Amino acid sequence: RAGRRSSEPGAPTGGERTIWLLFGALLIVCAVIELSGIAGHLASWARRLAEEQRLYEGRKAFQKAVMAAAAAASLGLLFLFIRATRRPGSHRLLWWAGIGLAAYLAVSFVSFLSFHAVDVARSMTWHGISPVDGLRGAGALVSLIAAAVAFRQVNETRRG
């Protein structure tokens, strides 16, 4: 049924439903990876492997290059999302969910790289929350708010 168009006005199309489901599935997979500790185990394994192969000391240049690429890609995506949400007829809530998900994934990826500056930011806390966790949480929250507003709009359209 996900590919069928609904005859109800305001109901999401099949393509929109698929994108919402993919966003939701990606957030669930990320939550499982975070809560299970898989990301930490994978980072530790990669660190041990790099040390055994005597590549660990040369990692700094690689980490800087990957972090610069992630920052540039995130900034480019942000400008793309902002431009897309201003277009008439665009699916604003879907774009906002994408912005939140992209922010969450970018900060999580940079955190996974374990660059020294990120490790320092991760160790600082404000009321028990590190800036890295705050940014990841904000990205996930934007996605969840966009989904909640979209869900409410669909329900109001069906009722009214």
Side-chain angles (χ1 to χ4, degrees):
R1 295 179 199 251
R4 296 183 190 160
R5 288 194 173 266
S6 175
S7 59
E8 299 176 34
T13 64
E16 285 179 72
R17 256 186 245 119
T18 302
I19 292 171
W20 280 112
L21 289 172
L22 288 173
F23 281 173
L26 193 53
L27 277 174
I28 289 169
V29 167
C30 289
V32 168
I33 289 171
E34 288 283 330
L35 294 174
S36 68
I38 292 173
H41 291 299
L42 185 59
S44 296
W45 172 79
R47 189 175 295 117
R48 279 193 313 273
L49 184 64
E51 286 173 348
E52 289 171 3
Q53 300 297 319
R54 300 184 195 277
L55 300 173
Y56 190 70
E57 293 306 317
R59 77 191 185 288
K60 291 180 183 178
F62 173 73
Q63 284 175 324
K64 286 180 182 180
V66 171
M67 292 207 29
S74 296
L75 187 62
L77 277 174
L78 178 65
F79 288 138
L80 175 74
F81 286 147
I82 289 172
R83 189 172 145 211
T85 58
R86 292 183 177 193
R87 272 190 232 134
S90 71
H91 303 286
R92 284 188 177 88
L93 293 173
L94 206 51
W95 282 108
W96 277 109
I99 289 170
L101 185 60
Y104 173 83
L105 291 173
V107 174
S108 293
F109 178 69
V110 167
S111 178
F112 176 76
L113 285 178
S114 189
F115 191 60
H116 178 70
V118 176
D119 291 341
V120 169
R122 199 178 331 163
S123 68
M124 296 185 308
T125 61
W126 182 70
H127 293 285
I129 299 173
S130 75
V132 172
D133 291 337
L135 286 171
R136 287 193 319 205
L141 187 62
V142 166
S143 291
L144 293 173
I145 289 171
V149 171
F151 183 71
R152 188 172 5 166
Q153 284 179 355
V154 168
N155 283 341
E156 287 174 2
T157 302
R158 288 182 181 167
R159 278 189 239 141

